[in-house]
Amino acid sequence: SKFMPQPRSDFTSPIYRVRVAVPVYLHDCFDYQVTADQYDQAQIGARVAVSFGRQQLTGIITEKLPLDTPINPAFKLKMITELLDDQALLNAPMLKLLTWSAQYYQFPIGEVMHAALPAILRQGKPYNLLARNWKVTDLEAENKLSKNAIKQREAFKILKLHPKGTLENILNLSGIETTTLKALEKKGFVQCILEAQDFTPEPVQLSQMPLTANDEQKKAIHSILKAHNKYQAFLLDGLTGSGKTEVYLQIMHKVLEQGKQVLVLVPEIGLTPQTISRFQSRFHCNIALLHSGLNDTKRLQAWQYAQTGKASIILGTRSAIYTPIANLGLIILDEEHDLSFKQQEGFRYHARDVALYRGYLENCPVVLGSATPSIECYHLADQNKLTRLELNQRAGNAVMPKMHLIDLKIAKKQHGISEQLISEIKKRLEKKEQVLIFLNRRGYAPVVLCESCAWQANCPHCDAHFTLHMKPYSHLHCHHCGTINRVPDACPQCNQKNLKPIGLGTAKLEEGLNELFPDFPVLRVDRDSTSKVGSWQKIYDQIQKSEPTILLGTQMLAKGHHFPYVTLVAILDIDGGLLSVDFRAPERTAQLITQVSGRSGRGDKKGDVYLQTLRPDHPMLNLLLEKDYRAFAKQTLSDRQLALLPPCRYAILIRCESRSQDENQNFLSTMAQQLRQQSEEGLIDIWGPIPAPMERKAGRFQAHMVLLSTHRAKLHFYVQPWWQHLLHIKSSTMKITIDVDPQEFS
Ligand code: ADP
Ligand code: ZN
Ligand code: ZN
């Protein structure tokens, strides 16, 4: 009998298999074997622990393979280690969204899935973390606490009011720190009880009356509400200060009333306490906040609130687009044009485009809002993929500011400011009004130059100047690779002690303004001055008081803020944006000018904008001056159409980085040749390879190659296998990345 053929196991007992997205840098999902019981229990969208090579990883089940799926005998299937959840964490539309994202952005599916999970769940830890509930155990303890233990006394008073206990996160929100609670626990006055979390949603209540919408707002609200329960995308194209937020709040109200959840995305810098409080004061409901500053437990909790339906509003920055939401009824993306919606490294998705696709999958409307919509959105509107709604009036008595150009070629200057502008600033301050000065360059000076021999202080690792900083001590800083050097006493080339800072950074301008206007406070807002937590909030509070003040800062000031007492905005140097080689530079500069200008005259008094430039004849400036941003956008879109640039063609940028430019060029040229051969004649236009605008960065050489096509699906069809192949054959010293719909060519 030992010569009898053994029956193949798959004929007698079926092999149960699941397909798993595993977080590794590979583009496929992997099949694992499970027991019959596990197969019954396994949920698509739930986590599993699996071994992969020598690692233990947390994956997501994407499929339960039907039992009659053929088996490839060449592969020995591994068993999964363990099922981690008995319920799906990601629902069907979410899984579709992630699978689509991985394909569209050419990024490994397992890594993309992880973008949707908070760190604690990625680590394979249990979903049901217990809530910490604090209760008083000794009612008389107040007398036993020392007079100086102010925080503990305060915490105790609040705890005493709620004999059933108070959840730690609620105590934290009202300013009671966990360390204080632990100190009380140590003394035996309070105790912490772990309880199962309750994710039951609560009804939403309006805690503030809506404003009376004006006719344009009403029209916009009406159009959007007509689209409820189905996908339709809107572009709310409303001037700065025209009340876009009021439109958001009123449509949100209707959606929340139906028991649905709303996802609101804002730019990174936009998620300020002011934004949060605007939503909090209108609605009494659970709001889940998702931003980069959360610790792991807080992030898990906010995520769970969204995923279970407990939170009615989910408010977050870019990555919040990948939060699973139980019952999504509306997506709002404010300041749609903002660059922070595009991830610039790793998984390079664009939250705006993902939002549109998500709305489609979840059957809900998507509202994109901006005072300076991207050219992409105008293009989509022309194709009827977006419904454009205009708001043309500023709310209340405010009117749009008047714009003036100052020709720097003929103007006399002090500290980089023309004398005409200095006297206008003085007039405003004396009338007790506020002035905003915009300079998009932090640090003290962008160049250090030897006035004897023209030597310049450059970063040894990049093709870039060092920026001079004076705080906390004087030093040279490369803003591209982070290198810090001391400032030489004498010129390293000619030994003369004749080194001079050239050009103007915000720190130097601050000195100049203090000299020019010694009687008025100067508040500087840039990444250096606001790095401490709460410092931006302090400045913000001061600006909300009606006292004459000079506000000076970088593009942090350009974003949606409401400064009611600012009546003059000065834009000091945007010429760099007029000269840049990036085809999007005029668009970005026009957006910046319009957004910064929009900070002026938002109150009762009329505003003015002064723009200093060496190029007062520049067509973009004149279009903005004589007409407006929309006229500029229209012109730009037709220019792009003629030049066959995005959004009129679809682009994919390949970035290549290695030890030499030759290595980059040779590799990319060969790859370009292959792509030409593999795709249809004339389908893909290939630009480059060319050296990147900054050829050397952090000691490595950078090159670009751009793939352009009018046919998006076909472009992706040919690029995908080509890219996979390219990843396999590149040398190990070479770093190569793909950027689908690139926003920046740097
Ligand atoms: P945007 O977001 O379009 O820049 P905001 O929503 O910040 O504009 O509105 C600017 C100001 O106008 C805010 O102070 C807001 O309260 C006010 N506002 C908006 N809509 C109305 C309205 N219908 N009636 C009165 N004031 C309004
Ligand atoms: Zn010199
Ligand atoms: Zn550098």
Side-chain angles (χ1 to χ4, degrees):
S1 72
K2 73 181 192 193
F3 296 110
M4 287 272 289
Q6 295 287 314
R8 275 180 55 190
S9 62
D10 49 319
F11 290 131
T12 51
S13 61
I15 293 191
Y16 298 94
R17 282 163 295 165
V18 291
R19 190 154 284 172
V20 180
V22 184
V24 288
Y25 207 87
L26 290 165
H27 286 255
D28 298 310
C29 289
F30 296 86
D31 292 349
Y32 283 86
Q33 199 176 330
V34 290
T35 63
D37 277 354
Q38 284 175 330
Y39 190 80
D40 281 343
Q41 286 164 21
Q43 298 287 331
I44 294 171
R47 293 173 304 156
V48 275
V50 293
S51 60
F52 189 90
R54 288 188 190 160
Q55 306 174 72
Q56 272 295 319
L57 297 172
T58 307
I60 298 272
I61 303 175
T62 60
E63 249 178 88
K64 290 164 83 169
L65 299 187
L67 297 182
D68 54 6
T69 316
I71 289 173
N72 182 346
F75 284 115
K76 170 131 180 44
L77 285 184
K78 279 191 188 173
M79 295 295 294
I80 63 159
T81 312
E82 188 186 358
L83 292 175
L84 293 172
D85 303 306
D86 48 18
Q87 280 179 23
L89 300 189
L90 305 175
N91 60 18
M94 212 43 216
L95 283 170
K96 268 198 197 142
L97 184 74
L98 293 164
T99 311
W100 172 83
S101 300
Q103 268 177 11
Y104 187 80
Y105 292 106
Q106 301 287 331
F107 208 69
I109 176 75
E111 300 267 340
V112 170
M113 294 268 171
H114 267 193
L117 294 182
I120 290 182
L121 297 180
R122 284 205 294 262
Q123 292 153 6
K125 293 188 183 145
Y127 178 93
N128 270 321
L129 286 186
L130 297 171
R132 298 166 62 81
N133 193 12
W134 289 89
K135 279 184 200 176
V136 167
T137 47
D138 178 354
L139 285 171
E140 304 306 315
E142 218 166 334
N143 308 325
K144 304 177 195 163
L145 281 167
S146 117
K147 286 262 175 313
N148 298 330
I150 299 170
K151 282 187 177 173
Q152 293 182 23
R153 297 180 78 90
E154 212 171 286
F156 192 85
K157 254 188 222 153
I158 290 181
L159 286 170
K160 225 175 113 178
L161 294 176
H162 305 278
K164 282 193 193 143
T166 315
L167 291 178
E168 183 168 302
N169 64 321
I170 292 176
L171 291 166
N172 290 160
L173 275 177
S174 45
I176 297 171
E177 292 160 21
T178 306
T179 47
T180 313
L181 296 167
K182 288 200 170 144
L184 285 168
E185 186 183 30
K186 223 171 166 186
K187 293 180 181 150
F189 301 159
V190 303
Q191 71 182 133
C192 178
I193 298 159
L194 297 179
E195 291 174 355
Q197 291 202 66
D198 174 15
F199 293 122
T200 328
E202 288 150 34
V204 177
Q205 277 163 10
L206 210 56
S207 46
Q208 180 192 56
M209 283 309 283
L211 299 171
T212 311
N214 64 31
D215 287 347
E216 286 178 327
Q217 285 173 323
K218 271 192 197 136
K219 198 166 155 240
I221 294 165
H222 185 70
S223 314
I224 299 167
L225 288 178
K226 267 205 313 213
H228 79 98
N229 292 334
K230 68 167 202 262
Y231 170 66
Q232 190 177 343
F234 297 89
L235 174 62
L236 188 58
D237 181 352
L239 303 182
T240 50
S242 60
K244 292 184 287 296
T245 311
E246 186 60 31
V247 171
Y248 302 151
L249 291 170
Q250 297 202 17
I251 54 175
M252 284 168 74
H253 183 207
K254 294 287 179 240
V255 175
L256 294 170
E257 268 182 347
Q258 297 168 14
K260 297 198 167 184
Q261 294 166 278
V262 179
L263 171 63
V264 183
L265 299 181
V266 297
E268 258 152 29
I269 199 97
L271 194 51
T272 54
Q274 295 82 46
T275 315
I276 298 166
S277 73
R278 265 181 109 166
F279 292 94
Q280 271 173 341
S281 49
R282 181 67 59 92
F283 303 110
H284 178 79
C285 67
N286 279 310
I287 301 185
L289 288 181
L290 286 156
H291 56 85
S292 55
L294 296 177
N295 69 24
D296 288 353
T297 3
K298 297 266 153 64
R299 176 176 300 277
L300 173 65
Q301 191 174 47
W303 185 93
Q304 287 176 326
Y305 272 42
Q307 190 242 4
T308 54
K310 173 104 177 170
S312 303
I313 299 173
I314 297 94
L315 181 56
T317 49
R318 176 180 66 226
S319 63
I321 191 58
Y322 286 115
T323 315
I325 294 172
N327 191 8
L328 184 57
L330 170 69
I331 304 176
I332 293 170
L333 195 135
D334 192 26
E335 308 287 351
E336 159 284 313
H337 64 280
D338 197 277
L339 252 188
S340 73
F341 287 118
K342 172 87 158 105
Q343 178 135 311
Q344 301 287 9
E345 56 202 42
F347 173 30
R348 291 178 161 80
Y349 63 95
H350 200 309
R352 176 189 61 218
D353 299 336
V354 179
L356 292 174
Y357 194 62
R358 185 163 187 186
Y360 165 77
L361 290 173
E362 308 244 20
N363 284 317
C364 76
V366 179
V367 179
L368 312 176
S370 177
T372 53
S374 59
I375 305 299
E376 272 80 1
C377 277
Y378 282 114
H379 187 54
L380 289 174
D382 282 355
Q383 298 172 311
N384 289 323
K385 290 180 183 164
L386 276 179
T387 308
R388 204 164 71 84
L389 304 165
E390 284 188 12
L391 301 181
N392 290 309
Q393 284 144 30
R394 281 193 153 181
N397 298 326
V399 290
M400 290 308 282
K402 186 165 165 39
M403 203 159 122
H404 317 263
L405 292 187
I406 296 174
D407 186 349
L408 273 186
K409 290 197 299 289
I410 50 175
K412 278 206 195 110
K413 291 181 291 180
Q414 288 180 52
H415 300 285
I417 309 176
S418 74
E419 287 182 339
Q420 179 196 356
L421 185 50
I422 292 174
S423 84
E424 291 296 333
I425 294 174
K426 202 164 267 157
K427 275 189 225 158
R428 300 292 176 153
L429 293 171
E430 278 161 5
K431 282 199 277 182
K432 301 211 174 342
E433 296 169 14
Q434 293 177 354
V435 170
L436 184 156
I437 301 182
F438 174 77
L439 176 66
N440 211 8
R441 201 185 296 119
R442 68 193 174 92
Y444 191 81
V447 179
V448 173
L449 174 87
C450 168
E451 291 204 323
S452 303
C453 76
W455 174 87
Q456 297 180 358
N458 289 336
C459 173
H461 312 296
C462 304
D463 291 329
H465 294 307
F466 268 129
T467 300
L468 177 66
H469 285 253
M470 301 306 261
K471 296 242 164 89
Y473 51 87
S474 75
H475 63 277
L476 299 170
H477 186 188
C478 173
H479 287 181
H480 304 282
C481 72
T483 298
I484 290 178
N485 273 9
R486 55 175 212 90
V487 186
D489 298 330
C491 171
Q493 190 165 280
C494 70
N495 268 325
Q496 300 288 311
K497 293 200 170 175
N498 214 359
L499 295 176
K500 291 276 149 61
I502 303 294
L504 199 59
T506 45
K508 188 171 173 195
L509 181 60
E510 183 181 13
E511 282 181 9
L513 289 167
N514 277 322
E515 247 172 69
L516 289 168
F517 308 102
D519 302 331
F520 300 98
V522 176
L523 303 177
R524 176 161 65 95
V525 179
D526 57 27
R527 224 169 346 128
D528 302 317
S529 73
T530 57
S531 54
K532 256 202 265 149
V533 181
S535 47
W536 173 216
Q537 180 64 30
K538 247 191 228 153
I539 295 174
Y540 196 89
D541 291 345
Q542 204 164 335
I543 288 293
Q544 301 303 316
K545 290 184 213 148
S546 101
E547 279 158 24
T549 309
I550 301 172
L551 186 60
L552 150 71
T554 57
Q555 55 181 324
M556 285 184 79
L557 288 180
K559 320 276 168 152
H561 308 297
H562 191 53
F563 303 131
Y565 304 108
V566 169
T567 56
L568 185 151
V569 164
I571 300 173
L572 292 198
D573 185 2
I574 42 89
D575 286 358
L578 302 179
L579 302 169
S580 165
V581 291
D582 188 335
F583 73 89
R584 281 204 182 83
E587 176 186 351
R588 304 246 182 270
T589 311
Q591 287 167 344
L592 204 53
I593 293 172
T594 311
Q595 291 287 345
V596 178
S597 304
R599 303 311 116 207
S600 179
R602 288 170 72 99
D604 293 335
K605 296 193 182 107
K606 201 174 153 304
D608 283 282
V609 177
Y610 289 84
L611 196 147
Q612 297 193 155
T613 177
L614 286 165
R615 299 281 312 277
D617 53 337
H618 194 282
M620 182 264 275
L621 291 181
N622 286 291
L623 211 48
L624 282 186
L625 197 71
E626 280 154 27
K627 298 216 172 99
D628 56 8
Y629 177 81
R630 285 186 197 138
F632 159 80
K634 197 159 175 238
Q635 176 67 45
T636 307
L637 184 54
S638 71
D639 292 348
R640 300 252 186 104
Q641 196 86 56
L642 281 176
L644 293 173
L645 284 166
C648 305
R649 282 203 291 184
Y650 300 98
I652 293 179
L653 170 63
I654 308 290
R655 291 187 179 88
C656 183
E657 177 189 311
S658 75
R659 292 166 304 188
S660 85
Q661 199 56 274
D662 281 348
E663 197 180 343
N664 290 339
Q665 299 279 336
N666 292 339
F667 180 72
L668 288 178
S669 300
T670 315
M671 293 313 297
Q673 195 57 32
Q674 286 189 9
L675 184 60
R676 274 197 194 94
Q677 283 163 3
Q678 287 162 11
S679 56
E680 291 163 38
E681 178 88 40
L683 179 77
I684 303 175
D685 193 1
I686 304 179
W687 288 2
I690 47 161
M694 186 176 294
E695 194 175 347
R696 208 168 43 102
K697 196 167 163 184
R700 310 251 297 163
F701 287 85
Q702 322 280 327
H704 283 176
M705 187 159 84
V706 187
L707 318 175
L708 287 153
S709 179
T710 46
H711 202 298
R712 170 149 59 184
K714 284 190 179 175
L715 174 68
H716 282 246
F717 175 80
Y718 288 109
V719 167
Q720 190 174 353
W722 172 80
W723 169 250
Q724 305 281 323
H725 174 63
L726 182 156
L727 279 182
H728 280 111
I729 60 167
K730 71 172 181 68
S731 74
S732 61
T733 55
M734 186 175 264
K735 188 179 164 207
I736 188 149
T737 57
I738 186 167
D739 191 349
V740 175
D741 305 330
Q743 289 293 312
E744 284 185 307
F745 289 82
S746 56

